[in-house]
Amino acid sequence: MATLKVPQPLPPVADDCEQLRKAFSGWGTNEELIVSILAHRNAAQRKLIRETYAQTYGEDLLKALDKELTSDFERLVHLWTLDSAERDAFLANEATKKWTSSNQVLVEIACTRSSEQLFAARKAYHVLYKKSLEEDVAHHTTGDFRKLILPLVSSYRYEGDEVNLTLAKTEAKLLHEKISNKAYNDDDFIRILATRSRAQINATLNHYKDAFGQDINKDLKADPKDEFLSLLRATVKCLIRPEKYFEKVVRLAINKRGTDEGALTRVVATRAEVDLKNIADEYQRRSSVPLERAIVKDTTGDYEKMLVALLGHDDA
């Protein structure tokens, strides 16, 4: 479930644009006005605001926001205002330029989006960067990491619910054999994770647990410091239990010494219209603290206000 709250009735888009223009005018910026509008408009409405703002004032709203805002607040507003495919392309491009943990962002985009959403992100990548996501991933990764991530970002999975139980049993056995032999980079192991539908993978992993006594991710913890194993576990979690994956990202972001604003911003901006309510519920179940309260404790100022608004708790 999403956490985004859109007012009813909705003000005309021309009014939103005029108010945003006012927020940028005069001495200082009216950040509260920006939050009150943008944090309460869905993707289609934000897109219309951007188009109308450009037609009315001859300026890209994103450029105006980047000029007026700073630091974590600016990044959150920027990511949120982007179209979802552009946002995924932007995050993926950033991730290709970094190493280690950024590989997880690529896995996240490849495995928590629908086939159409991932395809839209790849098309947006072409438009924004004049090259393909696949070539950047191939260029910036090596070895086992490239072997796993490249097929994941290139995938176009079947989205139906049909399941082949015979295949699930066969592939569960195959996965168990490969893990027992520590053949984590095996071609068939990666092929199953990169190509099978979510429903099929779910059936395979349910059979794996029934047949071999525990979740596959427990068996993939043989060496907790192994980064490739960590990436395999993230792949499985993103495909099967995305809300648990994102809850852990948020929990680690908040519970570190010093907040990991990058991770917190990414999760809130990408999931507020998808399943942030489920992620918040999972966080409260694990931590016995409401997510909005943890965020208020750990963040400040306009950044905090925007996060809380996107969580649907303006009054927190």
Side-chain angles (χ1 to χ4, degrees), residues 76-312:
L76 176 57
V77 173
H78 183 103
L79 283 179
W80 175 246
T81 308
L82 284 169
D83 167 79
S84 62
E86 285 179 302
R87 181 168 58 223
D88 282 345
F90 175 81
L91 289 167
N93 180 256
E94 266 190 346
T96 62
K97 293 173 182 170
K98 297 175 187 166
W99 188 233
T100 60
S101 65
S102 292
N103 285 331
Q104 198 159 307
V105 176
L106 292 169
V107 165
E108 189 178 296
I109 291 166
C111 298
T112 65
R113 308 317 191 240
S114 71
S115 296
E116 281 300 325
Q117 287 167 337
L118 180 56
F119 188 55
R122 298 202 326 245
K123 286 202 288 188
Y125 203 97
H126 287 197
V127 173
L128 291 170
Y129 305 110
K130 310 304 176 211
K131 51 188 170 172
S132 74
L133 172 58
E134 296 88 329
E135 68 183 290
D136 269 356
V137 167
H139 180 66
H140 290 283
T141 55
T142 56
D144 290 345
F145 292 97
R146 181 193 289 163
K147 194 173 179 181
L148 174 65
I149 297 169
L150 189 55
L152 286 176
V153 300
S154 310
S155 186
Y156 191 87
R157 296 174 196 274
Y158 175 62
E159 294 281 350
D161 294 328
E162 292 83 356
V163 163
N164 181 330
L165 289 175
T166 307
L167 183 66
K169 287 181 182 179
T170 305
E171 293 194 335
K173 191 175 174 214
L174 188 149
L175 290 173
H176 187 258
E177 278 172 14
K178 300 303 178 189
I179 290 172
S180 300
N181 295 326
K182 301 197 171 177
Y184 305 117
N185 64 352
D186 178 83
D187 288 352
D188 283 329
F189 193 107
I190 289 170
R191 171 186 58 79
I192 292 166
L193 291 181
T195 64
R196 294 296 184 208
S197 71
R198 283 177 179 79
Q200 186 65 40
I201 289 174
N202 204 23
T204 299
L205 299 188
N206 282 338
H207 186 75
Y208 185 103
K209 186 175 181 180
D210 292 343
F212 306 111
Q214 66 178 4
D215 282 339
I216 193 170
N217 269 6
K218 290 222 169 92
D219 288 339
L220 288 171
K221 266 193 176 159
D223 179 359
K225 289 181 180 168
D226 185 310
E227 281 191 40
F228 184 67
L229 284 185
S230 173
L231 207 60
L232 282 174
R233 293 195 302 273
T235 302
V236 169
K237 225 170 186 181
C238 283
L239 286 167
I240 303 303
R241 298 279 179 271
E243 71 285 352
K244 286 186 185 259
Y245 166 83
F246 284 116
E247 183 279 332
K248 187 176 182 184
V249 173
V250 168
R251 182 161 33 92
L252 293 177
I254 293 174
N255 293 353
K256 275 183 175 178
R257 280 174 174 251
T259 311
D260 180 354
E261 287 87 357
L264 183 58
T265 296
R266 187 180 78 251
V267 174
V268 172
T270 58
R271 308 312 289 183
E273 289 182 274
V274 186
D275 56 0
L276 192 52
K277 175 75 170 63
N278 310 58
I279 295 162
D281 289 347
E282 181 67 15
Y283 182 90
Q284 180 155 1
R285 189 185 71 76
R286 289 238 8 175
S287 306
S288 304
V289 177
L291 179 55
E292 71 273 9
R293 195 184 301 163
I295 284 174
V296 166
K297 189 177 164 209
D298 242 49
T299 58
T300 58
D302 299 310
Y303 178 57
E304 174 205 312
K305 286 174 189 158
M306 184 77 177
L307 288 168
V308 169
L310 291 175
L311 267 163

Side-chain angles (χ1 to χ4, degrees), residues 17 20-25 28-31 34 38 49-50 53-54 57-70 73-74 77-78 81:
C17 291
L20 286 167
R21 189 70 171 179
K22 272 186 192 165
F24 305 143
S25 306
T29 307
N30 187 340
E31 286 89 352
I34 293 168
L38 292 180
I49 288 171
R50 271 181 76 186
Y53 192 94
Y57 302 108
E59 182 181 24
D60 184 350
L61 177 61
L62 281 172
K63 286 191 176 152
L65 289 165
D66 290 352
K67 210 160 57 183
E68 297 292 334
L69 310 180
T70 56
F73 179 54
E74 183 272 325
V77 173
H78 183 103
T81 308

